[in-house]
Amino acid sequence: MTASSGWNAPASAAARPRTLAALGDSYSSGEGNPPFDTVTPRCRRSNQAWPQKLTTMAPPTTVALFAACSGATTDALNESFKGELPQLTQLRRLRTAPDVVTITIGGNDAGFSDVILSCFAWKCFWDGKDQREQNRITRELPDVLSANYAALKAAAPQSRILVIGYPEIFPSSQRKNTCPWLSSTERRQLTKLNSQLDRVIRRAAADADVEYVATDRALRGHELCTKDSWVAPIGLLPPARDLSAHPTARGQQAIATAVDRYLAAYRP
């Protein structure tokens, strides 16, 4: 776990119930775990999503707002997306400020899912260069993320803001890889891209003076293409395409555990 922005004192007081607002993209909405909410089906929200799994853990957690939406980029925080109000608008309209606001965002801005599907369909970075994707993450995203995290903090000034990193979803070594379509070079390229994205997110969170929670090791040993994977396999056609490379119920539980441990260990 990673603490920042002064939230680094070990917890000593007894845990108390908390309220939660979950914002962001498919890595918070629970994509990969059908069936999805039928009231707002386009956002593909699942009751197996890790924010929902926090409600079954101690201390008791109530999800006051579940605004995370599959496919969301940072634009969805301030603009309508899939027919819904901007996520920050939804947050501001809560009658009572939640104790904690969580967010996963940036992966869609970086086009990470398109890169993965390209790897499966043909090969990764088919033009022989991955510098374009690296530049997008390291040069374009930092300022965008910092500004949006600051806006999130301003929208909920009385809440703890937790920026949740993305888990590593590819095997740590080629020996563990069971997918014939994923070469050793491609695996290393994808792992590097995932790590770069998390580093940029961590730094942007620090710049905006909000907390960062690392989940990169949450799926360790159970990544995509391992024998006991907690990640939905890649598919090119619906519905498998939409579920691709998203944590399954066991993966969601692992992320929920990582977030819960952070909340238990670090308190204001």
Side-chain angles (χ1 to χ4, degrees):
M1 305 304 157
T2 301
S4 62
S5 308
W7 303 91
N8 53 8
S12 58
R16 64 177 182 80
R18 60 184 172 234
T19 54
L20 174 76
L23 279 61
D25 56 21
S26 58
Y27 265 74
S28 287
S29 73
E31 178 71 271
N33 296 273
F36 301 109
D37 175 25
T38 57
V39 177
T40 55
R42 296 178 67 192
C43 280
R44 301 173 71 82
R45 298 183 181 117
S46 171
N47 62 8
Q48 294 295 315
W50 65 260
Q52 297 289 7
K53 285 186 175 291
L54 287 174
T55 66
T56 67
M57 305 171 77
T61 298
T62 299
V63 177
L65 174 64
F66 193 18
C69 191
S70 182
T73 65
T74 50
D75 288 342
L77 296 177
N78 298 289
E79 300 174 8
S80 176
F81 182 67
K82 292 188 175 179
E84 297 203 339
L85 291 172
Q87 293 187 21
L88 292 188
T89 299
Q90 296 181 54
L91 179 61
R92 294 187 191 99
R93 290 191 175 186
L94 289 176
R95 289 187 175 184
T96 304
D99 297 312
V100 179
V101 179
T102 63
I103 186 169
T104 56
I105 206 74
N108 291 320
D109 293 72
F112 200 61
S113 61
D114 291 337
V115 171
I116 295 174
L117 288 172
S118 175
C119 294
F120 179 79
W122 186 18
K123 57 183 177 179
C124 298
F125 313 108
W126 56 270
D127 57 3
K129 298 180 181 179
D130 60 356
Q131 192 62 48
R132 180 180 62 257
E133 297 298 334
Q134 293 182 41
N135 288 343
R136 184 187 300 183
I137 291 173
T138 59
R139 297 180 182 178
E140 298 176 18
L141 265 185
D143 290 343
V144 172
L145 290 174
S146 295
N148 279 283
Y149 294 155
L152 176 55
K153 184 178 180 180
Q158 299 177 27
S159 306
R160 289 180 67 178
I161 309 298
L162 267 58
V163 172
I164 314 299
Y166 291 100
E168 178 56 65
I169 61 170
F170 292 98
S172 57
S173 72
Q174 192 64 10
R175 178 178 55 83
K176 300 177 182 178
N177 176 33
T178 63
C179 291
W181 56 268
L182 184 64
S183 72
S184 180
T185 298
E186 291 172 333
R187 182 190 56 79
R188 289 195 299 270
Q189 287 175 312
L190 289 169
T191 299
K192 180 180 179 181
L193 208 60
N194 199 141
S195 297
Q196 284 183 321
L197 178 59
D198 273 337
R199 283 197 298 271
V200 166
I201 291 171
R202 181 200 301 261
R203 291 169 185 163
D207 289 343
D209 195 30
V210 296
E211 299 174 73
Y212 173 82
V213 182
T215 66
D216 54 315
R217 298 184 180 184
L219 307 179
R220 182 62 58 92
H222 303 282
E223 300 93 338
L224 182 69
C225 296
T226 57
K227 291 182 179 179
D228 184 22
S229 175
W230 294 350
V231 181
I234 308 296
L236 294 180
L237 299 176
R241 178 188 175 98
D242 296 324
L243 307 181
S244 296
H246 288 89
T248 62
R250 295 181 74 180
Q252 298 287 342
Q253 183 63 60
I255 297 172
T257 298
V259 175
D260 183 68
R261 286 176 177 171
Y262 177 91
L263 286 167
Y266 302 99
R267 295 182 195 160

